[in-house]
Amino acid sequence: MKKIGLLLFSIVFITSVNFAQDSKTKAGHTNQNKFKQLKELLPTPNLQRTASGAPGLKYTQQKVDYTMDIILDDENTRIYGNETITYHNNSDDTLPYLWVQLDQNMRAADSKTPDIQSSSIPNSTSEKRFKKSYIDAAFDGGFKIESVKNLDDTNLSHTVNQTMMRINLETPLSSGEKFQFKIKWWYNINNHRTDGGRSGYEHFAKDGNNNYVIAQFYPRMCVYDNVEGWQNDQFWGRSEFALEFGDFTVNITTPEDHMLGATGILKNEDEVLSKKELKRLEKAKTTFDNPVLIRTQDEAEKIEKSRSKKTKTWKFYAENVRDYAFATSRKFIWDAMAVDINGKTVMAHSLYSKEANPLYGDHSTRAVAQTLKTYSKYTFDYPYHKAISVDGQMGMEYPQICFNPGRPDADGTYSDKIKYRMIKVTIHEVGHNFFPMIVNSDERQWTWMDEGLNSYMEMLAELDYDKDFPITRGYPKNIVKYMAGDQSTIAPIMSKGDHVYEFGNNAYGKPATALWILRETIMGKELFDHAFRTYSQRWMFKHPSPADFFRTMEDASGIDLDWFWRGWFYTTDVTDIGIEGVRKFYATNNTSKEGVDFIEDTSEGLNITKPTSSKSKYFYEITFNKPGGLVMPIIVEYTYDDGSKEKKTYPAQIWRYNDQKVTKAVHSDKQITKIVIDPDLETADVDLSNNSFPNTNKDQFSKFKTKMKN
């Protein structure tokens, strides 16, 4: 004890001297401690958004209602639309103008989107790509706005700015008032399989049909809130959408032989479905174990050979949704099943072509059902009446409907790789019904708030679907390669989606991993699940910001996580914690007086060679270092000479006084034979070569011994 006490006194004395010398120079420094609070980065709480992360007493949000008549022109692959927009100003502000999103203009002939992309001339290219890039005329996309009018059909002043349109109000819109206006438009639908895009059509050359998955198809109001004001950033094609909730009355006219699925309640089932289909649908509403076919493959194959010149109109009403989308084709097979969400029946549907069967028939609707169950368990009961998965051969989400990939080989067989990818994307896109379709974050600004949170929840649903599900994103070990990569091409999570380099890792993988680590390693399941559920329920049908999430997770768990948010979300620091060295001691009775002396054993390895007194145990002083920038818990596994193991976690706060290295004195009744940091790969440690002792690198221990002597 004398020797250790003397060492501690020396450290304190030296520190005091250094402090005195620093104070004489009157030099100061800013607080760079990894545990300093986030208050300087987060917005000041107010009556609209509280310090706890909950909506405040003065929280408001706008409401937008749409009435639309839509015509799908299958012959010319066009959409025609008439819409009436009712804008409710629920804010305390007077608005001199309104902003509308024109997302299809990203595909307009004069779009600036291609102009912001760097490009070069390749050494060689295919003839098809050569024609597309250098010969063929550009696709004539974008909205063709025919008119913008008041309800009395007088022209309404407006200004189009690329993917945005400003409505110039003659009289400013006061708080509590509403404004109604009309837009008439059309556009050419893009082939999303050849030209890309988040919606469009797929053409089947063999039978001459098209599958349509239609979204961003109507001029939509921008969000006006108490964080950004008007969220009217241009749509460049990557970062998605910020939208207001409202009620939709939508009539969609298609060829008579089409099958269609859409957001909302179908109000005229008996007009657009056959008696046979209606009967099967009723059966599906009480069938909870397996999907029921509403339209079979044989029926769909027969119908896809037809070319009806007649039309029919599908009438939908959707209440309190933030967006609208639909899918339609004469090729669609349709199955459905009921899902029990805490006593409420919700319908899970799938629409798919024969090219996607039997993969879709085997798994799509079941994956939809599992997603609704798992997400409801950890957040809130799914509030809508249905969720649809469509064979859209992309991955895109909208309220109550999503477009997903996955098709078997031509002979109908499919590998596990194809199966799991299809299930994974289906769960992910259906999961977006919760984030951001209900917990309505701003995707244009903060992609991680929907993609990252949803990717984390996706993991739980995948494991519920199949306990051996091959999860590819979210486990800490899976993000190591990205985090350890070239720092010049890595951006913090808290970056706008349009500005990050590796979109998938930044917006999906890393935030999902961060939440997994919080749940499994930092907070524990019980505290994390309660806090995450609290956030989800607080911000249902509202517009949360990052600060609302960070604050709620701390408020509902009783854990200060500022250090975690700062490191994982605001920096590109990495986890790298190692064992710099180990000193061994044995205890012996002090002969001069009653007491115990600690004598260092300088032999290599961990076995203590000297005998111990009857009072003593085995004593080790372990020096942990942290080459990486992130502060994280030190998770240590001790292996003893009898073969047993013990796992010990030292909280991240162990680094609060020294960001580079710390020591821990460990005593045990049994002799330690091995020490391993992060044995289960819980922290995304980017360098495992320094995680164990004894280390195969002989130089490490030699350098440590030399350093200690000096």
Side-chain angles (χ1 to χ4, degrees):
M1 291 296 288
K2 257 194 316 188
K3 294 181 181 179
I4 290 180
L6 180 61
L7 178 62
L8 290 174
F9 172 79
S10 300
I11 292 172
V12 171
F13 176 76
I14 292 169
T15 303
S16 300
V17 170
N18 288 340
F19 178 80
Q21 290 173 341
D22 289 343
S23 64
K24 287 178 182 178
T25 65
K26 296 184 179 180
H29 62 272
T30 59
N31 181 5
Q32 296 301 316
N33 190 289
K34 296 293 178 66
F35 293 91
K36 69 177 179 178
Q37 299 304 107
L38 276 178
K39 290 179 176 60
E40 65 191 50
L41 295 177
L42 300 184
T44 303
N46 52 48
L47 292 177
Q48 296 167 331
R49 295 169 187 268
T50 68
S52 70
L57 292 173
K58 293 290 187 178
Y59 175 85
T60 62
Q61 68 185 42
Q62 313 294 64
K63 183 175 187 285
V64 187
D65 300 327
Y66 299 85
T67 298
M68 292 190 281
D69 291 304
I70 306 299
I71 298 173
L72 173 72
D73 181 349
D74 186 33
E75 196 71 30
N76 296 299
T77 58
R78 286 181 178 174
I79 291 277
Y80 295 88
N82 271 297
E83 65 180 298
T84 299
I85 299 175
T86 303
Y87 187 86
H88 303 262
N89 182 13
N90 296 328
S91 75
D92 294 330
D93 305 328
T94 297
L95 306 178
Y97 44 78
L98 309 178
W99 279 102
V100 179
Q101 303 183 59
L102 302 176
D103 301 291
Q104 285 298 326
N105 282 2
M106 192 269 290
R107 297 189 168 279
D110 61 351
S111 170
K112 298 296 184 184
T113 297
D115 295 343
I116 69 168
Q117 311 297 333
S118 62
S119 58
S120 60
I121 297 177
N123 292 330
S124 62
T125 187
S126 67
E127 183 177 353
K128 181 179 179 181
R129 184 170 292 277
F130 176 77
K131 288 181 178 179
K132 182 179 178 181
S133 300
Y134 305 106
I135 305 298
D136 295 343
F139 175 69
D140 184 20
F143 283 114
K144 319 297 183 185
I145 303 292
E146 294 190 347
S147 65
V148 181
K149 295 187 175 185
N150 293 295
L151 287 188
D152 62 3
D153 283 333
T154 59
N155 290 331
L156 179 58
S157 174
H158 62 281
T159 303
V160 174
N161 176 19
Q162 299 181 63
T163 62
M164 296 292 163
M165 179 168 66
R166 189 180 66 240
I167 303 298
N168 305 310
L169 300 177
E170 186 174 325
T171 302
L173 186 63
S174 298
S175 174
E177 292 184 343
K178 67 181 181 181
F179 180 74
Q180 293 180 291
F181 63 104
K182 300 186 295 184
I183 306 176
K184 184 178 181 182
W185 48 267
W186 65 273
Y187 71 86
N188 292 311
I189 305 171
N190 58 294
N191 184 328
H192 71 83
R193 295 289 277 168
T194 59
D195 300 327
R198 297 172 183 272
S199 66
Y201 72 90
E202 176 182 10
H203 182 68
F204 293 83
K206 285 186 177 181
D207 54 53
N209 284 298
N210 297 322
N211 281 2
Y212 294 91
V213 286
I214 303 299
Q216 293 87 246
F217 67 93
Y218 62 101
R220 308 179 293 178
M221 294 303 303
C222 297
V223 166
Y224 182 85
D225 67 16
N226 45 37
V227 175
E228 296 286 337
W230 282 109
Q231 171 50 284
N232 54 3
D233 284 354
Q234 294 290 334
F235 178 50
W236 297 107
R238 173 190 275 181
S239 293
E240 294 175 13
F241 314 110
L243 299 161
E244 302 284 13
F245 288 104
D247 304 332
F248 288 71
T249 300
V250 183
N251 302 318
I252 307 171
T253 299
T254 68
E256 189 180 47
D257 48 7
H258 269 221
M259 177 60 72
L260 183 144
T263 306
I265 298 171
L266 180 59
K267 307 298 287 185
N268 63 332
E269 287 181 349
D270 56 340
E271 295 178 10
V272 294
L273 302 180
S274 69
K275 291 181 179 179
K276 184 185 294 184
E277 289 164 347
L278 287 169
K279 185 176 180 181
R280 293 168 178 170
L281 181 58
E282 287 304 308
K283 180 182 178 183
K285 291 177 181 178
T286 59
T287 303
F288 293 86
D289 50 356
N290 289 300
V292 174
L293 281 164
I294 314 301
R295 176 173 286 182
T296 68
Q297 179 166 329
D298 287 343
E299 291 165 344
E301 287 181 352
K302 182 179 179 180
I303 292 169
E304 74 178 15
K305 297 174 183 177
S306 66
R307 286 294 183 279
S308 177
K309 297 298 182 182
K310 296 181 180 180
T311 63
K312 61 183 175 184
T313 299
W314 305 71
K315 300 177 181 179
F316 289 91
Y317 177 72
E319 186 174 356
N320 203 23
V321 296
R322 72 166 221 163
D323 199 3
Y324 199 90
F326 66 92
T328 183
S329 174
R330 61 177 56 88
K331 292 174 63 67
F332 280 154
I333 304 163
W334 176 17
D335 70 40
M337 66 183 288
V339 187
D340 182 357
I341 304 295
N342 286 329
K344 174 189 172 184
T345 297
V346 174
M347 294 303 297
H349 301 265
S350 291
L351 294 169
Y352 47 100
S353 55
K354 67 177 185 293
E355 287 79 4
N357 219 13
L359 178 59
Y360 256 71
D362 291 343
H363 294 285
S364 178
T365 299
R366 290 182 174 87
V368 174
Q370 184 61 66
T371 306
L372 299 180
K373 291 176 184 177
T374 300
Y375 279 60
S376 294
K377 175 183 175 182
Y378 290 104
T379 58
F380 45 77
D381 288 355
Y382 183 67
Y384 296 131
H385 71 291
K386 70 179 180 186
I388 309 172
S389 169
V390 181
D391 162 29
Q393 298 310 300
M394 64 175 74
M396 202 57 213
E397 72 281 354
Y398 304 94
Q400 305 170 21
I401 188 169
C402 57
F403 313 146
N404 302 314
R407 284 180 182 159
D409 295 332
D411 62 0
T413 61
Y414 52 86
S415 65
D416 281 349
K417 182 179 180 180
I418 291 173
K419 177 186 77 172
Y420 283 121
R421 179 176 181 270
M422 177 264 186
I423 296 170
K424 173 185 177 62
V425 179
T426 301
I427 289 174
H428 182 90
E429 305 306 341
V430 174
H432 273 306
N433 276 288
F434 293 77
F435 308 96
M437 301 304 153
I438 297 171
V439 182
N440 189 15
S441 58
D442 178 354
E443 299 176 273
R444 189 67 53 86
Q445 290 282 337
W446 307 115
T447 309
W448 68 267
M449 286 194 73
D450 72 292
E451 298 296 359
L453 271 61
N454 187 45
S455 294
Y456 156 73
M457 281 298 307
E458 172 199 328
M459 297 170 69
L460 302 181
E462 287 169 350
L463 293 172
D464 283 347
Y465 192 87
D466 180 347
K467 64 181 179 60
D468 297 318
F469 200 99
I471 291 175
T472 57
R473 179 180 280 156
Y475 285 149
K477 65 180 181 180
N478 294 342
I479 201 66
V480 166
K481 184 177 180 181
Y482 167 68
M483 292 182 68
D486 182 357
Q487 283 285 326
S488 67
T489 59
I490 299 176
I493 291 174
M494 288 292 288
S495 300
K496 190 175 178 181
D498 285 327
H499 303 159
V500 302
Y501 302 91
E502 295 189 41
F503 192 63
N505 282 315
N506 181 280
Y508 297 68
K510 187 178 176 183
T513 300
L515 296 185
W516 185 267
I517 290 173
L518 276 180
R519 184 177 192 253
E520 300 295 321
T521 302
I522 308 293
M523 301 172 69
K525 291 183 175 66
E526 184 178 355
L527 287 175
F528 179 92
D529 289 350
H530 173 76
F532 193 79
R533 187 178 297 109
T534 299
Y535 165 75
S536 303
Q537 294 180 1
R538 278 180 175 178
W539 290 97
M540 288 177 68
F541 300 110
K542 295 182 175 67
H543 299 300
S545 70
D548 300 317
F549 177 70
F550 297 151
R551 285 169 168 154
T552 295
M553 291 300 291
E554 297 187 20
D555 178 70
S557 67
I559 301 178
D560 181 358
L561 296 168
D562 281 16
W563 61 273
F564 189 86
W565 309 130
R566 182 185 298 280
W568 275 85
F569 287 76
Y570 286 87
T571 80
T572 60
D573 284 346
V574 301
T575 306
D576 183 10
I577 299 173
I579 302 172
E580 185 172 299
V582 179
R583 299 175 70 191
K584 303 172 295 179
F585 296 86
Y586 62 88
T588 183
N589 292 329
N590 190 309
T591 56
S592 60
K593 61 179 180 178
E594 290 188 9
V596 177
D597 283 340
F598 288 96
I599 309 299
E600 184 174 0
D601 181 349
T602 59
S603 60
E604 292 193 12
L606 286 168
N607 295 331
I608 294 177
T609 59
K610 301 294 190 295
T612 58
S613 70
S614 57
K615 296 180 181 180
S616 70
K617 301 179 180 181
Y618 296 96
F619 302 92
Y620 304 88
E621 184 184 272
I622 308 168
T623 299
F624 301 100
N625 61 9
K626 190 172 69 62
L630 285 180
V631 289
M632 289 289 282
I634 306 175
I635 306 170
V636 187
E637 181 183 79
Y638 297 104
T639 300
Y640 298 103
D641 54 3
D642 63 357
S644 62
K645 295 183 179 183
E646 181 183 12
K647 196 171 170 182
K648 173 73 175 178
T649 298
Y650 303 105
Q653 285 76 9
I654 194 172
W655 303 103
R656 69 197 186 281
Y657 293 137
N658 191 326
D659 189 48
Q660 296 181 350
K661 66 177 62 179
V662 296
T663 61
K664 287 298 294 183
V666 176
H667 57 85
S668 171
D669 292 325
K670 296 180 286 187
Q671 196 158 205
I672 296 174
T673 59
K674 189 175 183 180
I675 305 171
V676 177
I677 293 178
D678 196 10
D680 299 317
L681 307 181
E682 298 178 59
T683 67
D685 195 312
V686 301
D687 181 7
L688 301 181
S689 68
N690 58 355
N691 281 36
S692 61
F693 192 92
N695 196 305
T696 53
N697 182 359
K698 294 288 185 181
D699 290 339
Q700 181 179 354
F701 186 56
S702 299
K703 289 177 181 177
F704 176 74
K705 286 198 299 183
T706 302
K707 194 173 183 180
M708 292 309 298
K709 286 178 182 178
N710 296 334

